[in-house]
Amino acid sequence: MWLVVVSGAAEPLFYLFSVGIGIGALIGTVPGPGGHPVPYREFVAPGLLAVSALNGALNDSTFNVYGRLKFEKLYDSVLATPLSARDVAVSEIGWAVLRGLLYAVPFLIVMAALGLIGSPWALLALPGAALVSFATAAAGVALTTYMKSWQDFEYVLLVAVPLFLFSGTFYPLSVYPHVIGLVVEWTPLYQGVVILRDLVLGAPSWDLLWRAAYLAAVGLIGLAVAGRRIATLLLV
């Protein structure tokens, strides 16, 4: 299983080297926080940090939870103890957040080694990554309780891949038509990308507070739904 974890953590690093640094040498600068130009590699790196946090949390809160719920029957044994369905949801989400951080921490270290961190505000990037993981994990566990078969997870990929490509990870929101930009702006990953990019590049603002509140709300709603659904499925 550690090989799976390592491979998942390495994927965004490959994008950083190939797209951020390789293609970045051809692109030059792009508009960063506040419209100030920044080198493309510094623009892409915080976005891929958010993707790392999302990938770790998403993998563990969907496929793994489904296996434990439908096949291993692990939660039936857990609920034979004083623990409740809500405890199961909290534990699964907590582990998924930890896995998200296992992806984010080495990515942040590589960013520092490559000189892609421009401010001490970047220290808050780890709590920011944890918030991205929390929102992702809670939504993932909640949605997994509605899955009927492994084929249903195609819908997870159908959502995750566009989020990865179009949530401001690789280019600024200004490249979109206005209507599409409004849709993108309200996606959870975009909020995480903005939070981490502003912190890493040393341009925090009060706007980050409502963006963080948005992610926290997604996580808390997902947690509540997951707890109720697990209780319903296991008849407790």
Side-chain angles (χ1 to χ4, degrees):
M1 291 302 296
W2 280 108
L3 182 60
V4 175
V5 174
V6 171
S7 64
E11 181 183 357
L13 288 175
F14 294 147
Y15 278 102
L16 176 62
F17 288 121
S18 61
V19 177
I21 297 177
I23 297 178
L26 304 175
I27 294 177
T29 62
V30 295
H36 301 293
V38 297
Y40 184 68
R41 62 184 182 275
E42 294 182 13
F43 177 87
V44 168
L48 290 173
L49 175 61
V51 170
S52 293
L54 178 139
N55 282 348
L58 187 64
N59 290 336
D60 222 285
S61 63
T62 52
F63 299 98
N64 292 355
V65 168
Y66 184 78
R68 288 191 281 268
L69 179 64
K70 297 293 186 177
F71 298 99
E72 297 176 17
K73 304 297 182 181
L74 175 65
Y75 304 142
D76 297 83
S77 302
V78 170
L79 295 178
T81 73
L83 296 175
S84 67
R86 181 179 174 84
D87 295 323
V88 171
V90 170
S91 299
E92 287 292 1
I93 292 169
W95 168 246
V97 171
L98 180 58
R99 182 168 174 180
L101 288 176
L102 285 175
Y103 283 28
V105 168
F107 192 93
L108 194 62
I109 293 173
V110 171
M111 286 175 59
L114 294 175
L116 300 178
I117 293 179
S119 168
W121 284 101
L123 293 173
L124 295 179
L126 279 182
L131 194 56
V132 173
S133 295
F134 173 58
T136 303
V141 174
L143 292 174
T144 297
T145 62
Y146 290 94
M147 301 295 181
K148 302 298 183 182
S149 69
W150 290 111
Q151 285 70 34
D152 289 341
F153 286 94
E154 297 294 334
Y155 296 111
V156 175
L157 298 177
L158 185 64
V159 173
V161 173
L163 280 178
F164 168 57
L165 293 175
F166 304 116
S167 294
T169 309
F170 296 107
Y171 29 81
L173 195 65
S174 58
V175 305
Y176 296 111
H178 179 66
V179 174
I180 297 177
L182 289 177
V183 175
V184 171
E185 193 171 7
W186 286 99
T187 59
L189 181 57
Y190 177 78
Q191 308 303 326
V193 168
V194 172
I195 290 172
L196 295 181
R197 181 170 288 143
D198 286 6
L199 290 173
V200 170
L201 296 180
S205 66
W206 292 110
D207 284 349
L208 300 188
L209 294 179
W210 74 260
R211 296 183 190 279
Y214 174 94
L215 291 176
V218 170
L220 292 173
I221 292 170
L223 173 60
V225 172
R228 286 199 301 268
R229 284 288 300 164
I230 291 173
T232 300
L233 290 173
L234 299 180
L235 301 177
V236 296

